[in-house]
Amino acid sequence: MTQKKIAVITSGGDAQGMNAAVRAVVRTSLERGADVYAIYEGYQGMVEGGERIRKMDWDSVGGILQLGGTTIGTARSDEFRTRDGRRQAARNLIEHGINGIIVIGGDGSLTGANIFRQEWASLVAELVESGSISAETAQEHACLSIVGLVGSIDNDFHGTDMTIGADTALHRITEAMDAITSTAASHQRTFVVKVMGRNCGYLALMGALASGADWVLIPEAPPDVDNWEDVLAERLRAGRKAGRRDSIVILAEGAQDRHGKYIGSTEVQKALEERLGEEVRVTVLGHVQRGGRPSAFDRNLGTLMGYDAVDIILNAKPEDEPVVIGIKNNRMKRLPLMESVLKTQAVAQAIAEKDYERAMSLRSSSFSDAFKTLRTMVRSLPHPVDPGRKHFRIAVLNAGAPAPGMNTAARAAVRFGLDQGHVMLGINNGFEGLAAGEVKEMNWMSVSGWASMGGSMLGTNRKVPKGKDFYEIAREIEKNHIDAILCIGGWTAYEAVHAMMVNRANFPAFNIPIVCLPASINNNLPGSEFSIGADTALNSIVEAVDKIKMSAGATRRCFVVEVMGHHCGYLALMGGMATGAERVYMSEEGVSLRDLQNDVELLKSGFQAGKRLGLMIRNEYANPVYTTSFMCSLFEEEGHDLFDVRPAILGHLQQGGDPSPFDRIQANRFGCLCVESLLKECARNGTQVSFMGMKDGSIQFNDMRDFERVIDAEHLRPKEQWWLELKHIASLLAQQGPSQSA
Ligand code: ADP
């Protein structure tokens, strides 16, 4: 087999996380013994060749993980759209012996890649004919392997749940929305905010859901009436009357009315000013959405996709069709390149043809779910209660440690329940509060503003009821006529609910449906691949570690960063992958003396070879004896004059902060689904106790009777943890190059 020489290229619009993908491609290729090149400035660089095509080594991609944009540059290239340009590009690749390319870009770039591959044989033949290359060289380059990664902030690509850059763009949008909301609320103002996304309403829709906006206009679901301006103005007016201090409309750049007429921000502004009789401010978010540091998710997505791309190229056979790597249900997925591009373009086509039903059906189920949820959340008041329908009294409480997103979930649950005509009760201070009778009826506006707030507005604590607590809780359930309970929380919340279930024989009041909604920064709950709060904590860790790394300056220093997670290494591993930590210590694997000796030797040889920064991430319970301070002392002592060592225990900053967009989106979805499930159970007089979550791509309500079977009770974590299989990728990419920088 011919030796693989791989080139990586970023093309089209830049997206945060592209650097992580480039880093992963370069380092995985090197580790597998392949030569690897970067083509600077997109396809234009491929056409120009020369200095634009550079061989990469381990260090060429050091220190880029945390940078926004793409360090190898991107460009739009008209020359590559021509056959002459592509022939020239082929010649340049052959000159370097490159026989595989990894293209990171949007559907335009991937279309270009596909055309290039289809033409490859004829381009090579033309190069022989013109005498540019010999027949022998042509034979060596009979085929070109191509793998695509979708780098696009729009999240518009068919077949993948997320594209590289979309999550960070949502971060920028929610940050801006939070800022706008606070000023809008102070002055009781109306704002129209325009976000990017081309033909895709993903950023607008999720941005609206995450920020608690009042209305959204997206290309896939135009307003269903012609006088939408009147309806919108009426909605905002009703919202004000109901007590909202701000009115915010999010507009996707591709928004149109049901006749296909473009809706711009000035039109919305004018329409609202005329109808509301007040000034309406417009904010066009523009390129800030492409800017800033990549989120933890985008860094890890780029990393995992880049790793997989090299794996595919190295195993590619000449006849293999090009693939694109997508992510589906948390796993990398290989999609046929051209088919996926065509399906992506079919959505744009459906919108252009005003076939909105089809456009919506081509988006993912979470997209249409989110749209439905948003339509409930944005109502100014709930649907009036239907007197003919039986209503239930559903209580919502938070339990366990605070997790960012708890309020978002409670808000969604309360509004969903009220909108269905039921009574929603809020319990303050967890199970302790329930025992003490801290129960109050919630209304539509009791949860106003909760969509974006960190912490727990209901109040939470870690108390697990026992003994006489059960009497008190049973009494309060009866006194308040509670028909069902939604318990939003972490490990102790699950334990508390489990304890109630076990004590049902003694306390008939506990024979009601109860659902646990996973909310814990530790991501250590069974039945769900993600718990609400973990993504926020991960981003807090990444942000803190970025700063810590910068503080090292010119000194030679090793940091041992301790992160939370109890006995679950999720935050340590994913935080380590997103920051380029060279070593991650987790409770799942433990730490041995031999490990530490190895690590000391690696650190010493690395610093001797010129490295300036060491980064080790340690889960708080990785080992009870080899603590963070022990490790620091050991490394310091052994490092002598070569390097010094500093601990950084991140502590509670990981539990605080406003929830990340992903946590808010999940919290909205989970909150509504849990109440829906409780209502169904109430309607059939059921008493099921369950813990819900997202697993293998679907929402599952697991029977609480299985709780003990699926957990590792000693370490308070699920027996199965999906993310553990990613460990080797994180280690591979951060291992030491000659003068390594993370
Ligand atoms: P994106 O990849 O973000 O969708 P563009 O659509 O602008 O961005 O495409 C980026 C580049 O990909 C273009 O400038 C061009 O060089 C190349 N490209 C796009 N479409 C084609 C095509 N049909 N044939 C050849 N090259 C293309």
Side-chain angles (χ1 to χ4, degrees), residues 11-13 43 76-77 80-81 86 105-109 111-112 115 198:
S11 168
Y43 287 128
R76 314 244 180 216
S77 167
F80 191 77
R81 288 180 185 270
R86 293 194 289 274
D107 61 328
S109 306
T111 307
I115 292 172
R198 293 196 293 184

Side-chain angles (χ1 to χ4, degrees), residues 535-569:
D535 183 62
T536 310
L538 197 53
N539 278 293
S540 302
I541 291 169
V542 165
E543 207 177 306
V545 174
D546 281 352
K547 287 185 185 151
I548 289 169
K549 276 164 74 173
M550 270 189 264
S551 79
T555 54
R556 281 183 297 182
R557 183 164 285 175
C558 172
F559 289 98
V560 179
V561 178
E562 181 183 303
V563 300
M564 285 182 167
H566 285 195
H567 282 285
C568 172

Side-chain angles (χ1 to χ4, degrees), residues 497-653:
V497 170
H498 185 261
M500 281 173 68
M501 184 192 72
V502 170
N503 281 283
R504 273 180 163 182
N506 302 326
F507 302 95
F510 295 168
N511 282 303
I512 53 171
I514 308 178
V515 169
C516 288
L517 185 158
S520 162
I521 66 159
N522 300 334
N523 206 25
N524 61 346
L525 297 166
S528 193
E529 295 188 350
F530 287 116
S531 55
I532 288 163
D535 183 62
T536 310
L538 197 53
N539 278 293
S540 302
I541 291 169
V542 165
E543 207 177 306
V545 174
D546 281 352
K547 287 185 185 151
I548 289 169
K549 276 164 74 173
M550 270 189 264
S551 79
T555 54
R556 281 183 297 182
R557 183 164 285 175
C558 172
F559 289 98
V560 179
V561 178
E562 181 183 303
V563 300
M564 285 182 167
H566 285 195
H567 282 285
C568 172
Y570 177 81
L571 292 176
L573 178 61
M574 299 309 254
M577 192 188 287
T579 52
E582 61 214 76
R583 185 74 164 88
V584 174
Y585 302 101
M586 308 191 293
S587 156
E588 284 83 352
E589 295 181 327
V591 188
S592 70
L593 188 57
R594 190 181 301 268
D595 292 334
L596 293 175
Q597 279 170 331
N598 277 342
D599 295 339
V600 163
E601 289 314 315
L602 276 176
L603 281 173
K604 275 164 60 177
S605 61
F607 280 104
Q608 253 154 7
K611 132 200 184 105
R612 297 216 316 264
L613 177 74
L615 177 64
M616 325 293 255
I617 295 201
R618 183 182 176 283
N619 157 262
E620 58 185 345
Y621 295 162
N623 183 300
V625 179
Y626 303 142
T627 59
T628 301
S629 94
F630 174 88
M631 281 187 189
C632 287
S633 309
L634 177 77
F635 295 157
E636 178 89 42
E637 175 64 17
E638 296 293 320
H640 294 296
D641 300 334
L642 262 178
F643 58 95
D644 59 19
V645 184
R646 292 285 185 279
I649 297 175
L650 298 187
H652 282 78
L653 70 82

Side-chain angles (χ1 to χ4, degrees), residues 44 50 68 109 184 290 295 336 440 521 559 582 586 605 607 666 694 699 705 726:
Q44 191 54 33
S109 306
R290 291 194 184 281
S295 67
K440 59 170 194 277
I521 66 159
F559 289 98
E582 61 214 76
M586 308 191 293
S605 61
F607 280 104
Q666 289 290 77
M694 180 81 169
I699 296 286
R705 284 173 297 187
L726 306 177

Side-chain angles (χ1 to χ4, degrees), residues 215-218 221-226 228-229 256-258 263:
W215 199 260
V216 71
L217 288 158
I218 57 173
D224 47 14
V225 288
D226 282 339
W228 60 268
E229 297 97 327
Q256 54 185 51
D257 70 14
R258 65 190 183 129
I263 304 178

